[in-house]
Amino acid sequence: MTRQVNDDIRFRVMRELEGNPELSQRELAKSLGISLGIANYCLKALVEKGQVKVSNFRASDNKLRYAYVLTPQGLAAKAALTARFLKRRVAEYEALKAEIEALQKELGTEAAGKRAQVEDR
């Protein structure tokens, strides 16, 4: 069975790596609230697609570590993911805003009805 990494996770991984390419996979997983396995799987897929390049560097404690750098192709993919992510979030926001307004109207109608009942007494 193949695991699918959804666009939101790929977007969040690429966004995090763009600002912090020296993050370890463990640190990346922790900062995004995903499992280490998902972080590893996503990074491997991004490397295979040519969207992320892996470079070695020495950490301050003299251990060899990796840096995950977005390639030009990766930056273009991240831009497309950003546009889709923003479109989904705006749609979610609009739906939530409409639901809140409907609930406020409902609550306002109920409150007005209760005030009228109290005034009639």
Side-chain angles (χ1 to χ4, degrees):
M1 178 168 84
T2 1
R3 288 191 281 178
Q4 295 286 325
V5 176
N6 70 29
D7 279 354
D8 285 354
I9 292 175
R10 283 190 313 140
F11 167 72
R12 291 170 49 217
V13 165
M14 293 174 89
R15 186 174 180 199
E16 191 71 24
L17 290 179
E18 188 175 29
N20 302 302
E22 73 288 343
L23 284 178
S24 70
Q25 289 185 21
R26 191 173 305 279
E27 293 166 335
L28 178 66
K30 185 176 180 180
S31 72
L32 297 177
I34 60 176
S35 73
L36 180 57
I38 293 288
N40 177 276
Y41 180 80
C42 186
L43 283 170
K44 280 184 178 180
L46 292 170
V47 169
E48 286 175 13
K49 289 180 178 182
Q51 296 174 352
V52 170
K53 177 182 162 191
V54 181
S55 303
N56 292 334
F57 75 95
R58 289 224 174 254
S60 60
D61 56 4
N62 236 5
K63 292 184 181 177
L64 196 59
R65 293 205 25 197
Y66 298 103
Y68 301 96
V69 181
L70 270 62
T71 63
Q73 182 182 356
L75 290 171
K78 181 184 168 280
L81 284 169
T82 301
R84 289 194 304 267
F85 181 84
L86 184 58
K87 186 177 179 179
R88 280 191 310 275
R89 291 296 190 235
V90 168
E92 290 172 9
Y93 168 77
E94 293 298 332
L96 187 57
K97 185 177 169 185
E99 184 178 356
I100 289 170
E101 288 172 359
L103 289 170
Q104 286 175 331
K105 276 185 181 178
E106 184 180 311
L107 193 58
T109 304
E110 288 176 13
K114 287 182 182 179
R115 277 194 302 265
Q117 287 175 352
V118 170
E119 290 172 2
D120 288 342
R121 291 185 190 170

